Structures are given as structure tokens and as C-alpha cells.
Amino acid sequence: MIYSHLLKQASANGAVALAAMLAASAGGAHTTRNGGGATTTTSCQHEEGGKRKDVLGMLHDLDARLDNIEKTLGATTTTTTTRASSTTESRYHNDAIGKERTLPGIDVVLGSQWGDEGKGKLVDMLSQEYDVCARVAGGSNAGHTIVVEGKKYKFHLLPSGVLNEKATCIIGNGVVIHLPSFLNELDGLKQSGIDAEKRILLSDRAHLVFDFHQEVDGITEHRLGRNKIGTTKKGIGPAYASKISRNGIRIGDLENFDFFEMRFRELAENQMRSHPGLEIDVEGQLAYYRSIADRVCAMMTDTIEYTNEQYDMGKKILIEGANATMLDIDFGTYPYVTSSNPSIGSVLTGLGVSPKKINGIYGTTKAYCTRVGEGPFPTELERDAPGSIGEHLGVVGAEWGTTTGRARRVGWLDIPQMKYSTLINGFTAINLTKLDVLTGLPELKIGRAYKHNGKILNTMPSSLKTMSELEVIYETLPGWTEDISKARNFEDLPVNAQRYVLRVQELLGVPIRWIGCGPNRLDMIDRGEGWDLSSKDSLNSSE
């Protein structure tokens, strides 16, 4: 009971730290420091009766043993009451064969670095068990690649969950939509044998990206010269600017085309007046939108009402984040950011749901770090030098942008950045991707802390000048050479790969549940719900 109470009351970081401490005290974790000062954790599990248990299971074993003591001392009544309450409140039930079954709710997959972390692969895997999948922010500047039986699917506006033929896919009010790109994506998917149009719902409140928004994006980037942002030139920023300026056009406006035409002419005139030299074929554009209006309106609905109805009906809902926290307009490395909030807040504002309805929040991070475009990158490595670690990460990791085709910048995993992202989003579990890319490197480094002017920083600097002056403190761990693409359990990984994962988990204070071991759809380890803080109450339901 004591440990159950601590687990329920602790914060996400505190719960993992407590579990790790208890595991270590019982011989379940062993920490060593090598000559270079690097700390590695060799194990976070233990054997009992021939059966392996994770640290959360061990925590409750200790709780059960203490219960026996409390019963002997006459504390049975309090214990029983507490457990009845926790079982009633739990979001999990045990089925007939004793396996945990998640109750309906909203789970969220977010990018925790600068994007391109591999969110789509997890969404594709999880979405097979969900009724609704949704996008809530950004636009066609997002790029998610999924490999299914050797075939690549690249998504920019569609949720990756569209590959689940039973799932309804929502594009929420927080997304800005370039309809020509959206329809091309749908048509391309149909040519691949997946006809998803009847399963797509577009929010009537979502704003439109027009071709002239994309032209303005390019013009603005060109004018910045060497101070360019590194935009994808997909018109996302200018479309959000129209939205905030209150002269934007929403999908719902297509239902009344006369009204749409009036608004479009006004917006086009405004854009040409603001950007001398910009030419817009107003009549040609209006003819195009008239030709697709019926097709688009057939997919349009009030997604706020629909999503909340689905929740009330007990459906499971999965949110696919676009971009990542370090590109957030408020929390990212401004001004080298996107034009929306691709962090946890966008789920509420971009879909229209209450925070009370959110269950798991899953942060996706590569086992190293990448970034597309300009802006600070504290742990960056030189990519172009032949035979360098940077070249290895870039080539083996196939680090070219899904949307832009640009070579991604590469670097070591950045723990201060990840802690900042965790603080903002409250991740309940981590999805660590592309661990296989590190195979073959003799040693690995982790950026453990930032130092500025001789002082360790406890937070992410907002100043670009401070960011440019940072000194990164690294720790070094041994690498491995074994192929890990066939690993399906944590114990299948080489010892040094396990040590790397456990050390990252220890530094973040959040359990790593999923581990990507290769490019294919099934090349992933799922350590189970015991490694997800959102499911911690389920451990009480069997008591």
C-alpha cells in the first residue's frame, strides 16, 4: 500500500526515479563509471523464480510483501479501502486470461526533438488498435515515412493511421490544408490499392493554404538572405498569418461558393498589395476550387462534435503530432521554428477536446539527433567529412528530409533538450527510434548537460546568442557491432545496446517503452504497458 500510494502521488519523473532506486537497492540495477567519467547502467530488471520483471512490477512485489506485515499489525481495513478505490478509478481492467486491456481515451504521439524522429512508424503500429486517428497541427510541411513489406508510404497531410482500414482519420481544425496536395496524396494512396477517401474527415474550421501562400513563403525566405529560416516553402507560415490576421479562408466556406469567391478575391488582392510583383491567377484558382468543392465538402464535418461523440461512445483515439517540440512557435529555437504549436497543447486547440480526456503522451526521439534547416543545434557533428561519425549517421540513417529532400544535419543525442521537451509535454513513455543506426560505431556519446560561462544550465536557453556559446558536456559509452534488426525483446539486444537505452532512460527519468531496431514496420521492441506511466494505476487492478 505504501509503495502504491507513492507511485500514484509521484510525478512522472519521480515515479521512474523511485522505481530505479528500489531496483538498484534490490540488486536489479548496477551502475559503473568508466575511466572517462561515463556512467552506464547495466540492468534495470531482475530475476525472481525464473521470471523477469520490470521495475514497476518489482515495486508492487515489495508493496505486497509490506501488506503481509501490515495485516499482521492490524492495518487490513485501511489497505482494503485504499485498494478498492484505486481499482475503481483505474483506466484498465484484466480480461479472462489476465492481460491488461486499455479503456477508451485519447493517446498522443509527439515529436520531442526537431522533427523527423519516426513518429509515423509508431502511429502506424498503434493505430491498428484504434478507432480514430487524427492530425491536429501544421500542414504539408510534415513528412512521415512508413515501410510496409518493402514498400514506402510517405504522408504529408494524411494521418499515418490511414493504413488501418478500420480507422477513421481526422484532419482537425488546427491543421492548415493545401487542398491540391491533399487530393494528390489521396489519389496516390488509391493507386497503391488503398481507397481511404470515405474514411477521411476534414474539419470545417480548418484553414486553407493557397498556391499564393506558397509563393509568398518563397519570396519571404529569399528576402531574408543569409538570415533565412530554412522553411519548407509549403506556405504554412503565410497561411497561419492569414488565419491570425482574420482574413483567412476555411474549408467550411466552400459550402457557399459565392461567399468563398468573395473572400478569395479579397484575400488575393490583399496578398498582391502586400507583396509587389506577386501575380495570382484569380479566375483560374476559382475555377479549380469550384471543380473540387463537392468532393471536398463530402469529407467535411464538425470534427469537434465528432471526436467528442466518439470519446463518449468509448472509442479509442490516437493523435499524430507533426513536426516537434523544438520547432514549436512558442517553445522552440525561435525564430527557427514552424508556425504552429506541435507540442501537447495543440491536441486541445487543434482538435477541440478537454485535457481530462488525454491518457498516454508518447515522446518520439531518435537514438541520436537530427535537424533540417537553419537554427541552433548544440550536439551537431560534421556530416560531409568522409569516414566521420556524422557521415555514418547521415548515410546509414538515410537522413534526407521526407518533405524537402534536403540532407538533415546530424548529431549526438541531446539530453538537456530532451528534458526540456519532457517538461513541456509530460511524456508518459518514450519511443526511441533508429537504435540500429548506431550499430558499428566503436563508442557513443550522449550530450548530458549544457555549460555557459562556466556554469551548468538547468533549462533550455531562449537566447540564440547563449545557444551559440554553449559548451556541451558529454559522456561516452561503448558501442556494439551486432545486427539488432531482428530483436523483438529487450534481452535480444547486445549488452552495450541495452546499456545505452537504460542510460538514456535514467537521464530522462521517463521509461523507454518502444525501441526501433530497423526500417521496416515490425522492426520494433515493445517492452509493454509496465513501461508507460499512463498505465501505472493498472498495476493495482489485479491486487
Side-chain angles (χ1 to χ4, degrees):
M1 181 187 69
I2 295 172
Y3 286 97
S4 295
H5 175 73
L6 287 174
L7 183 60
K8 289 177 67 178
Q9 296 299 321
S11 65
N13 289 354
V16 173
L18 175 62
M21 178 189 71
L22 288 167
S25 68
H30 177 63
T31 302
T32 59
R33 184 174 298 275
N34 63 27
T39 302
T40 59
T41 303
T42 59
S43 177
C44 201
Q45 297 178 323
H46 78 295
E47 300 271 352
E48 182 174 323
K51 182 179 179 181
R52 297 187 66 87
K53 294 187 178 181
D54 62 29
V55 291
L56 293 178
M58 183 178 175
L59 187 68
H60 287 274
D61 282 349
L62 291 173
D63 179 30
R65 293 170 186 171
L66 283 173
D67 264 356
N68 291 331
I69 298 173
E70 289 175 344
K71 289 175 181 178
T72 303
L73 296 175
T76 307
T77 302
T78 303
T79 302
T80 304
T81 302
T82 303
R83 290 176 188 276
S85 175
S86 65
T87 302
T88 301
E89 295 172 354
S90 173
R91 293 188 299 101
Y92 292 79
H93 293 298
N94 289 343
D95 61 21
I97 59 174
K99 293 183 179 179
E100 290 166 350
R101 176 170 53 85
T102 309
L103 288 181
I106 298 175
D107 293 326
V108 186
V109 176
L110 297 174
S112 60
Q113 297 168 308
W114 279 280
D116 307 305
E117 300 95 345
K119 299 177 289 292
K121 183 175 178 179
L122 180 62
V123 169
D124 174 53
M125 184 185 80
L126 293 178
S127 67
Q128 306 307 309
E129 304 299 326
Y130 284 77
D131 305 295
V132 178
C133 296
R135 278 277 311 274
V136 296
S140 57
N141 56 337
H144 300 155
T145 302
I146 298 171
V147 181
V148 181
E149 296 179 352
K151 185 172 184 178
K152 283 188 177 182
Y153 293 89
K154 295 185 178 182
F155 299 109
H156 300 279
L157 276 163
L158 291 173
S160 301
V162 74
L163 295 179
N164 173 13
E165 296 182 356
K166 297 179 181 179
T168 299
C169 293
I170 294 175
I171 298 181
N173 59 274
V175 180
V176 289
I177 304 174
H178 183 242
L179 285 175
S181 299
F182 168 73
L183 295 177
N184 284 340
E185 200 168 323
L186 265 183
D187 292 340
L189 200 59
K190 187 173 183 179
Q191 291 174 6
S192 299
I194 300 174
D195 187 357
E197 191 157 328
K198 293 181 180 179
R199 297 188 288 110
I200 303 294
L201 296 179
L202 301 175
S203 171
D204 52 4
R205 292 174 170 83
H207 278 248
L208 293 173
V209 180
F210 293 103
D211 289 351
F212 58 74
H213 283 133
Q214 297 184 339
E215 292 184 52
V216 168
D217 207 356
I219 292 171
T220 303
E221 185 79 345
H222 178 73
R223 287 174 179 170
L224 289 172
R226 66 178 185 178
N227 295 317
K228 63 182 180 179
I229 301 300
T231 173
T232 58
K233 301 179 184 178
K234 296 295 183 180
I236 309 305
Y240 276 117
S242 292
K243 177 178 180 177
I244 299 302
S245 298
R246 295 181 293 278
N247 61 4
I249 300 176
R250 305 197 292 186
I251 283 185
D253 296 333
L254 281 169
E255 284 193 305
N256 182 338
F257 202 83
D258 289 341
F259 179 73
F260 175 89
E261 179 177 346
M262 178 189 72
R263 295 294 308 279
F264 184 87
R265 291 184 184 279
E266 291 174 351
L267 180 57
E269 182 180 345
N270 174 274
Q271 293 292 319
M272 287 188 288
R273 188 168 56 247
S274 300
H275 302 279
L278 174 66
E279 296 182 0
I280 301 174
D281 180 4
V282 175
E283 302 306 324
Q285 286 285 285
L286 286 172
Y288 170 77
Y289 282 96
R290 188 184 298 275
S291 71
I292 66 170
D294 288 344
R295 182 182 179 186
V296 172
C297 287
M299 292 181 272
M300 184 183 70
T301 192
D302 182 344
T303 56
I304 299 172
E305 179 184 36
Y306 177 85
T307 304
N308 285 282
E309 282 182 348
Q310 294 300 297
Y311 178 89
D312 291 340
M313 291 168 59
K315 302 295 186 180
K316 294 181 64 179
I317 302 168
L318 182 65
I319 309 302
E320 177 178 6
N323 309 123
T325 301
M326 296 310 298
L327 295 176
D328 190 290
I329 187 70
D330 288 305
F331 304 124
T333 48
Y334 188 88
Y336 300 100
V337 292
T338 191
S339 305
S340 60
N341 293 104
S343 49
I344 190 63
S346 64
V347 178
L348 314 181
T349 59
L351 194 60
V353 296
S354 163
K356 295 180 180 180
K357 297 179 180 180
I358 295 177
N359 296 336
I361 306 172
Y362 306 133
T364 303
T365 178
K366 283 176 180 167
Y368 50 102
C369 198
T370 65
R371 177 169 194 166
V372 169
E374 310 301 317
F377 190 175
T379 62
E380 184 170 14
L381 295 167
E382 174 60 47
R383 175 169 176 166
D384 296 330
S388 67
I389 294 173
E391 182 190 46
H392 173 98
L393 296 178
V395 174
V396 177
E399 296 297 352
W400 286 271
T402 301
T403 298
T404 64
R406 291 179 290 182
R408 297 176 184 137
R409 298 155 65 190
V410 298
W412 295 117
L413 185 63
D414 187 331
I415 293 299
Q417 174 270 308
M418 280 295 300
K419 284 185 174 179
Y420 175 71
S421 185
T422 300
L423 179 68
I424 290 167
N425 295 295
F427 298 135
T428 63
I430 297 295
N431 170 33
L432 187 70
T433 66
K434 290 195 167 185
L435 184 66
D436 55 297
V437 175
L438 300 182
T439 299
L441 295 176
E443 61 180 28
L444 309 171
K445 289 187 177 182
I446 298 175
R448 184 171 54 83
Y450 292 159
K451 182 184 286 188
H452 184 254
N453 290 337
K455 296 181 179 179
I456 299 294
L457 300 184
N458 295 319
T459 187
M460 177 67 65
S462 62
S463 165
L464 291 182
K465 183 175 185 299
T466 302
M467 290 286 289
S468 68
E469 297 169 348
L470 289 178
E471 175 189 348
V472 179
I473 299 174
Y474 291 95
E475 63 177 65
T476 302
L477 286 78
W480 61 90
T481 58
E482 299 93 330
D483 176 21
I484 66 170
S485 63
K486 304 301 181 184
R488 295 298 178 265
N489 297 291
F490 186 72
E491 294 76 16
D492 295 338
L493 294 173
V495 171
N496 286 345
Q498 294 184 36
R499 288 174 175 171
Y500 185 83
V501 172
L502 293 174
R503 181 55 175 155
V504 173
Q505 178 175 265
E506 179 184 8
L507 289 169
L508 291 181
V510 179
I512 294 175
R513 175 173 175 178
W514 298 277
I515 303 168
C517 301
N520 292 314
R521 194 182 198 183
L522 300 178
D523 295 344
M524 183 180 288
I525 295 170
D526 181 358
R527 300 170 78 190
E529 290 183 348
W531 298 91
D532 179 356
L533 294 176
S534 71
S535 66
K536 62 182 182 293
D537 285 345
S538 69
L539 297 169
N540 289 330
S541 64
S542 63
E543 298 175 352

